[in-house]
């Protein structure tokens, strides 16, 4: 159920409706919009008695939301959600494209700084890097853990980049949340409901990657888990799904971008690195993702991909990243977007290039 407040409803009226919902034994989720506030109701099994709600002061109407996902649905919030970061002009969602770039894994301070310097110089606003890695093999590099989180905090200090990193489990979630600006929940954890719920208790943006075989509804239900706990800053990321195609690691499903846009108000990113697994496919698919209407790109960049501890074959060189930025900057206006480059202090040219 959704309570739509009148445009001129006061804070007190909104609060009174929320209190009433709590008294009924349900949970209110006030979602302010440009025109009016809507209050989502969760926790009800059947219909909520709308008569009482409709008679409350400031209420315009009470609507039944028929979709399985409610808070993530566009029925509940018409305008696109924009995730903002205090003390910075970086944002995910909205008119400006967000670019998250960095290595698959943080391997050392030197490696992280060399790559961060180059992606910052090319205009990225967000730095990615795995501290805790979900690896298919238990014998593969599992990440530097806390040491990597500390390195990324230094990267934030030095380059002004916001940090995106994955929380692999409920045990390390709080630690990751302490150090990161955006908490990533990986494809393999998209239906780890305990982890999603716990991330919902945080007040930090959560980036959810689409599961390897997740439908649109399953994807949005993962977002719903986080939002149902009161954390509305959720970002969706398409990263390819498993199909019979064997020319690429995954099949990047760009058609989900407009489909998600229609169904949900949440920001949508595309990861062409995991989406293809091939360096030569990353730039073309990044261009296509922007053309398809994505709110931004998450991409793996490495200055020595041949020596990378993980995902070297899909990591682009810093020079290619700069080209990608230039290309998507040109596509952006065609789809009514911009690519605001960060202005960073000059960084000494590091290794890499191609
Ligand atoms: C990653 O971003 O490095 C990662 C492991 O992604 P995914 O969960 O999409 O495989
Ligand atoms: Mn990776």
């Amino acid at each position: 159920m959704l309570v739509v407040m009148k445009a001129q409803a006061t804070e007190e009226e909104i609060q009174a409706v929320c209190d009433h919902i709590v008294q009924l034994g349900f949970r209110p989720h006030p979602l302010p919009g440009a025109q009016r506030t809507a209050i989502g109701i969760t926790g009800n099994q059947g219909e909520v008695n709308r008569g009482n709600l409709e008679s409350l002061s400031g209420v315009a109407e009470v609507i039944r939301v028929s979709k399985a996902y409610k808070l993530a649905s566009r029925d509940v919030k018409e305008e696109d959600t924009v995730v903002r970061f205090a003390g910075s002009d970086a944002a995910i969602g909205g008119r400006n494209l967000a670019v998250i770039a960095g290595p698959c894994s943080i391997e050392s301070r030197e490696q992280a700084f060399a790559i961060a310097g180059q992606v910052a110089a090319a205009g990225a606003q967000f730095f990615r890097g795995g501290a805790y890695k979900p690896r298919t093999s238990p014998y593969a590099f599992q990440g530097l853990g806390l040491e990597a989180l500390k390195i990324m905090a230094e990267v934030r200090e030095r380059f002004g980049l916001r940090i995106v990193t994955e929380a692999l489990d409920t045990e390390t979630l709080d630690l990751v949340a302490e150090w990161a600006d955006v908490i990533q929940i990986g494809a393999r954890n998209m239906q780890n409901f305990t982890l999603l719920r716990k991330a919902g208790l945080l007040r930090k943006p959560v980036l959810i990657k689409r599961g390897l075989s997740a439908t649109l509804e399953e994807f949005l239900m993962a977002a719903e888990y986080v939002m149902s706990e009161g954390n509305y800053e959720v970002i969706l990321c398409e990263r390819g799904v498993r199909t019979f195609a064997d020319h690429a690691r995954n099949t990047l499903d760009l058609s989900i971008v407009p489909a998600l846009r229609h169904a949900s108000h949440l920001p949508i990113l595309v990861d062409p690195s995991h989406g293809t697994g091939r360096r030569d496919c990353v730039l073309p698919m990044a261009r296509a993702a922007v053309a398809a209407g994505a709110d931004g790109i998450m991409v793996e960049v490495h200055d020595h991909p041949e020596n990378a501890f993980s995902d070297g074959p899909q990591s682009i060189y810093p020079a290619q990243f700069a080209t990608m930025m230039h290309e998507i900057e040109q596509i952006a206006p065609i789809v009514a977007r911009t690519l605001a480059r960060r202005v960073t202090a000059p960084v000494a040219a590091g290794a890499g290039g191609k």
Side-chain angles (χ1 to χ4, degrees), residues 102-105 128 130 133-135 166 184 209 239 249 271 273-274 300 310-312 314-315:
C104 179
S105 311
R128 61 147 293 147
K133 295 303 303 175
R135 304 305 301 278
E166 178 166 353
Q184 178 173 325
K209 300 193 87 177
R239 46 79 72 209
R249 181 178 178 186
D271 170 355
S273 307
H274 294 87
E300 288 184 342
S310 57
D311 285 349
Q314 69 191 32
S315 300

Side-chain angles (χ1 to χ4, degrees), residues 69-297:
Y69 46 89
K70 314 229 174 266
L71 302 172
S73 152
R74 214 179 258 289
D75 297 350
V76 164
K77 184 167 177 274
E78 232 172 89
E79 308 91 42
D80 292 340
T81 288
V82 181
V83 175
R84 296 183 198 283
F85 298 84
S88 129
D89 59 1
I92 303 180
R95 201 176 146 75
N96 193 49
L97 294 172
V99 178
I100 305 173
C104 179
S105 311
I106 299 299
E107 300 166 7
S108 68
R109 192 172 177 281
E110 293 65 37
Q111 173 246 19
F113 268 64
I115 299 168
Q118 296 188 74
V119 299
Q125 291 172 311
F126 298 86
F127 182 70
R128 61 147 293 147
Y132 300 92
K133 295 303 303 175
R135 304 305 301 278
T136 304
S137 164
Y139 310 118
F141 177 62
Q142 305 286 309
L144 296 180
L146 178 58
E147 188 188 338
L149 296 176
K150 290 182 177 170
I151 292 169
M152 283 186 281
E154 278 190 69
V155 163
R156 174 174 45 219
E157 257 325 278
R158 167 70 179 84
F159 300 104
L161 295 161
R162 302 282 139 173
I163 303 302
V164 182
T165 194
E166 178 166 353
L168 201 53
D169 48 41
T170 50
E171 288 80 1
T172 48
L173 176 64
D174 289 335
L175 185 65
V176 170
E178 220 177 279
W179 294 86
D181 297 300
V182 177
I183 300 142
Q184 178 173 325
I185 296 197
R188 290 152 195 85
N189 267 325
M190 193 209 79
Q191 287 191 316
N192 181 338
F193 302 120
T194 334
L195 182 60
L196 292 167
R197 267 196 198 288
K198 198 168 173 205
L201 297 172
L202 302 169
R203 293 297 170 262
K204 269 227 165 142
V206 176
L207 183 156
I208 306 178
K209 300 193 87 177
R210 182 183 181 187
L212 274 71
S213 66
T215 63
L216 177 144
E217 183 168 310
E218 288 164 343
F219 194 9
L220 287 176
M221 290 309 278
E224 191 75 16
Y225 260 93
V226 176
M227 299 175 86
S228 71
E229 295 294 343
N231 187 351
Y232 308 119
E233 296 196 309
V234 177
I235 300 147
L236 305 166
C237 182
E238 158 62 24
R239 46 79 72 209
V241 289
R242 186 159 289 185
T243 67
F244 53 80
D246 60 1
H247 63 280
R249 181 178 178 186
N250 291 295
T251 297
L252 190 65
D253 178 17
L254 288 182
S255 70
I256 202 166
V257 174
L260 282 172
R261 177 82 59 216
H262 179 76
S264 174
H265 54 87
L266 296 173
I268 307 153
L269 302 182
V270 170
D271 170 355
S273 307
H274 294 87
T276 64
R278 291 174 49 159
R279 184 176 307 127
D280 64 332
C281 292
V282 171
L283 266 66
M285 296 317 279
R287 298 195 297 264
V290 171
D295 293 303
I297 302 291

